[in-house]
Amino acid sequence: MKKIVILGGGFGGVYTAIHLEKMLRHYRDSIEIVLVNKENYFTYQPMLAEVVGGSIDILDSVTSLRSLLKHTSIYIREVTDINLENKQITLSPNFSHKDVIIKYDHLVLGLGTVTDFRTSPGGLTEHALPFKDLSDALSLRNRIIDVIETAAQETNEEERRTLLTFVVGGGGFSGVEVVAEINDLARKKAKKYPTINTDEIRVVLVHSKDRLVDRELSPSLGKYCGKLLAKRGIEIFYKTRLVSATPHEAILDNDTKIPSRTIVSTVPSLPNPLIEALDLQKEYGKVICDSYLQVNNHSDLWAIGDCAYIPRSYKKPDEFSPPTAQFATRQAPILAKNIKASIMGGEKKQFNFKSLGQMAALGHRRAVAEIFGIKLSGFIAWVLWRFIYLMKIPGFAAKIRISISWFLDLLLSKDTVQLKGRPKSGFENLHYIDKETIFQSGDIGDYLYVIAKGEVDVIKNDQVITTLKQGDYFGEMALMSTNKRSATIRAKGECNILAIKKHDFEVLMTHFSELKENFVKTENERLEDLKRIVEGE
């Protein structure tokens, strides 16, 4: 059976799977479609700003992948490795220490981009809130509500003003949409508190150019955005960058410091690290494709969406597709058709699409739009924005849910409540009973373990080679070098163990050189001990 594997559940990946299901519906016994995504839902990203403001409910912006793709095998896991030579994908363990290997005949790269502060100076990584996905939108909404609740009880005037100041970096589509929703939500909620004067609320937008949405919209609409947001009380710093942050303030490149507890960065996203690691031709970190969406010099490899560098038209090979949903959804049927042609024979089709226009919501039932060269702004543009996006949302049920939410939002005022989950920790407390296996030789290295109480046996070739006791640690060898467990660890009596996730272990190694040296020293000593034991046998 032929297997088509799609990596990524964004616009490119999901729409490609939808079209493949339709085109290959008569060949399900001989062709399998597989989609891999880290969440089990598709996020309609243009709606995320409205999640922050509360115009729609949190789940209204997402649709279950299984409801959209009824004939696709779906894996909800992280991709840990892409092996182009062996034509296989490695997926992370889930509720075990075993990874999953998927072989493919055709591979579609639809991994998009990730929020990445690596190119930013210090402080943004630690203290700026990203705005990329549903969890970011929920975190930001919770933060806004949290600081207003706190400010309502704060008696120190300076601290209260700091709490009621919100700073957003970036004046593209994401920046203007989210700053408008922050402004609306903060001012609307603050009116319910007699101890807060709405004049104390300060919302700041920092943009590096001389007008907003300078890359997306015409100069006149960009200027309209600026005037409308300023009229709503939003301060705009033009030709200025957000360069750093502390727990108490945002720092701009002109040395201006803005006291704030809520700093949002809509920095341009960077390519997914998995794409960076591939030995492929790239431009601006994106995989170079031809007009058939095929990766150069690879007959079984394709790319789509934000991670792909695709000509927008075979007639104009020097112009490339922008990273927008509009282009990804138009690329998808072409890609599906060409994959089918590669498997079953037939003529391939080249991608050729001209942008229909762009739109941005500005909160308070106002928007800007440029459709087929016609420029619109204000309430009419907002109505058009809602109608077009409603039609684009995949799934009939999702359209109904959002329509109801919008209708109720016009009639009723929603409560601004926080929906907080349990905070995630990089540490887990584990309990094992006598002779219970913690991990086996050959398992993936995903945790470092520290014995809090009890003992464990280290087993190699069915032989106990040593026993570790309270205060000892194990599992560092797989994290630092081999990636696979070289021995089996089994509890010796009841024991309690602290497990540190691989990501958090790597953070520790990065920031504490002495700690890293100690781990390396221990690793080398254990390798020498193991070598002596093997030679003694």
Side-chain angles (χ1 to χ4, degrees):
M1 176 178 283
K2 295 285 186 181
K3 185 173 290 187
I4 304 167
V5 176
I6 302 168
L7 302 183
F11 281 97
V14 168
Y15 276 78
T16 296
I18 289 173
H19 288 287
L20 281 170
E21 281 193 353
K22 292 178 181 178
M23 294 180 186
L24 301 175
R25 61 186 178 277
H26 300 304
Y27 305 95
R28 289 172 188 154
D29 293 336
S30 58
I31 301 176
E32 181 185 6
I33 305 167
V34 175
L35 185 136
V36 180
N37 194 48
K38 61 183 180 180
E39 290 101 9
N40 77 333
Y41 54 82
F42 165 78
T43 304
Y44 198 73
Q45 288 185 316
M47 299 292 186
L48 288 182
E50 290 206 283
V51 171
V52 174
S55 299
I56 61 175
D57 290 330
I58 294 167
L59 295 181
D60 287 343
S61 64
V62 299
T63 305
S64 165
L65 289 175
R66 296 190 184 277
S67 67
L68 294 173
L69 305 170
K70 300 184 184 301
H71 303 287
T72 296
S73 299
I74 299 173
Y75 288 79
I76 309 303
R77 292 177 184 250
E78 295 273 1
V79 179
T80 58
D81 184 61
I82 302 172
N83 191 319
L84 300 179
E85 184 176 353
N86 295 330
K87 299 180 68 170
Q88 68 180 31
I89 306 299
T90 304
L91 307 183
S92 63
N94 198 16
F95 296 105
S96 73
H97 301 292
K98 305 289 185 183
D99 53 11
V100 175
I101 305 295
I102 302 177
K103 293 281 188 178
Y104 66 83
D105 294 285
H106 286 267
L107 178 65
V108 177
L109 301 174
L111 291 165
T113 56
V114 296
T115 300
D116 198 325
F117 292 109
R118 284 178 297 173
T119 59
S120 302
L124 292 181
T125 303
E126 294 81 4
H127 305 296
L129 298 173
F131 187 69
K132 176 73 174 174
D133 54 31
L134 182 61
S135 62
D136 295 338
L138 180 57
S139 296
L140 178 55
R141 178 175 171 80
N142 283 336
R143 173 68 71 84
I144 296 167
I145 296 171
D146 208 10
V147 295
I148 291 177
E149 294 282 1
T150 305
Q153 307 302 326
E154 179 59 60
T155 57
N156 183 289
E157 183 177 341
E158 183 178 350
E159 178 60 24
R160 189 169 66 251
R161 287 186 178 275
T162 300
L163 288 166
L164 295 175
T165 298
F166 307 88
V167 180
V168 176
F173 272 148
S174 293
V176 298
E177 289 183 340
V178 76
V179 80
E181 293 291 348
I182 290 172
N183 189 59
D184 284 356
L185 176 62
R187 296 185 187 280
K188 179 180 178 181
K189 183 169 178 60
K191 290 179 181 178
K192 299 180 180 180
Y193 298 85
T195 56
I196 295 179
N197 185 339
T198 55
D199 291 339
E200 294 178 294
I201 294 176
R202 184 186 184 194
V203 181
V204 179
L205 178 61
V206 181
H207 187 49
S208 61
K209 305 298 182 181
D210 59 358
R211 63 179 174 84
L212 302 180
V213 285
D214 55 289
R215 293 187 301 173
E216 297 92 345
L217 295 175
S218 64
S220 60
L221 288 179
K223 292 177 181 177
Y224 173 84
C225 287
K227 290 180 180 179
L228 183 60
L229 293 179
K231 185 178 179 181
R232 301 252 183 82
I234 297 173
E235 296 179 46
I236 304 176
F237 286 72
Y238 291 105
K239 296 183 179 180
T240 311
R241 294 180 184 273
L242 172 65
V243 296
S244 188
T246 73
H248 310 97
E249 61 188 9
I251 302 171
L252 312 186
D253 63 357
N254 60 5
D255 294 329
T256 298
K257 296 179 180 179
I258 303 175
S260 174
R261 296 285 190 173
T262 306
I263 301 165
V264 183
S265 179
T266 61
V267 292
S269 299
L270 296 179
N272 192 299
L274 289 164
I275 298 294
E276 288 184 293
L278 295 176
D279 185 19
L280 298 171
Q281 292 180 312
K282 303 184 189 77
E283 189 72 31
Y284 304 112
K286 300 181 179 184
V287 178
I288 296 176
C289 301
D290 58 24
S291 58
Y292 297 99
L293 285 83
Q294 196 160 30
V295 177
N296 290 354
N297 304 318
H298 289 77
S299 61
D300 56 2
L301 187 60
W302 314 78
I304 189 171
D306 294 4
C307 70
Y309 197 64
I310 303 168
R312 69 163 65 202
S313 170
Y314 63 89
K315 298 177 182 178
K316 297 180 179 180
D318 295 330
E319 296 182 10
F320 293 87
S321 302
T324 64
Q326 182 181 168
F327 273 79
T329 54
R330 265 71 176 194
Q331 291 164 358
I334 306 299
L335 175 54
K337 176 181 175 61
N338 291 342
I339 292 175
K340 179 184 177 182
S342 294
I343 296 174
M344 309 184 68
E347 185 178 353
K348 296 179 183 177
K349 186 175 181 180
Q350 297 186 79
F351 181 66
N352 179 31
F353 178 68
K354 183 179 180 181
S355 175
L356 302 178
Q358 298 282 12
M359 299 179 292
L362 302 176
H364 214 66
R365 296 171 190 154
R366 295 293 184 273
V368 289
E370 191 167 352
I371 308 296
F372 299 115
I374 301 174
K375 301 173 185 177
L376 300 169
S377 60
F379 180 75
I380 294 176
W382 177 77
V383 172
L384 181 64
W385 179 88
R386 284 205 157 179
F387 175 77
I388 291 178
Y389 277 135
L390 184 65
M391 293 300 101
K392 286 184 176 181
I393 294 169
F396 179 74
K399 288 181 171 65
I400 296 298
R401 286 198 306 269
I402 291 177
S403 297
I404 292 173
S405 289
W406 280 344
F407 179 71
L408 292 177
D409 184 56
L410 292 172
L411 299 179
L412 305 172
S413 176
K414 292 184 179 180
D415 288 336
T416 49
V417 296
Q418 292 172 298
L419 295 175
K420 289 184 176 181
R422 292 180 181 271
K424 288 186 177 181
S425 171
F427 303 88
E428 293 185 21
N429 292 305
L430 307 176
H431 177 78
Y432 293 93
I433 61 174
D434 186 36
K435 292 184 171 40
E436 188 173 4
T437 298
I438 298 170
F439 59 72
Q440 294 181 334
S441 177
D443 283 353
I444 283 290
D446 48 0
Y447 286 90
L448 171 76
Y449 298 89
V450 181
I451 303 173
K453 180 181 179 182
E455 299 178 347
V456 301
D457 286 333
V458 181
I459 301 169
K460 187 80 172 180
N461 298 328
D462 297 324
Q463 178 184 349
V464 176
I465 60 174
T466 189
T467 297
L468 302 178
K469 301 181 179 181
Q470 182 176 340
D472 290 336
Y473 57 83
F474 58 93
E476 80 287 348
M477 292 171 63
L479 296 181
M480 297 181 68
S481 55
T482 62
N483 195 42
K484 295 281 187 178
R485 302 299 188 186
S486 60
T488 296
I489 304 294
R490 186 176 298 157
K492 187 178 182 180
E494 291 195 5
C495 61
N496 294 331
I497 291 176
L498 180 67
I500 303 174
K501 292 182 178 179
K502 181 178 180 179
H503 172 267
D504 299 281
F505 173 79
E506 291 171 345
V507 171
L508 287 172
M509 295 302 95
T510 300
H511 292 284
F512 299 98
S513 58
E514 290 185 3
L515 186 61
K516 181 177 181 179
E517 290 172 4
N518 289 335
F519 277 117
V520 172
K521 181 180 178 181
T522 302
E523 178 186 5
N524 291 335
E525 289 174 351
R526 289 179 177 174
L527 287 172
E528 287 296 323
D529 290 342
L530 181 60
K531 182 179 179 181
R532 283 194 294 269
I533 291 171
V534 172
E535 290 175 349
E537 293 177 349

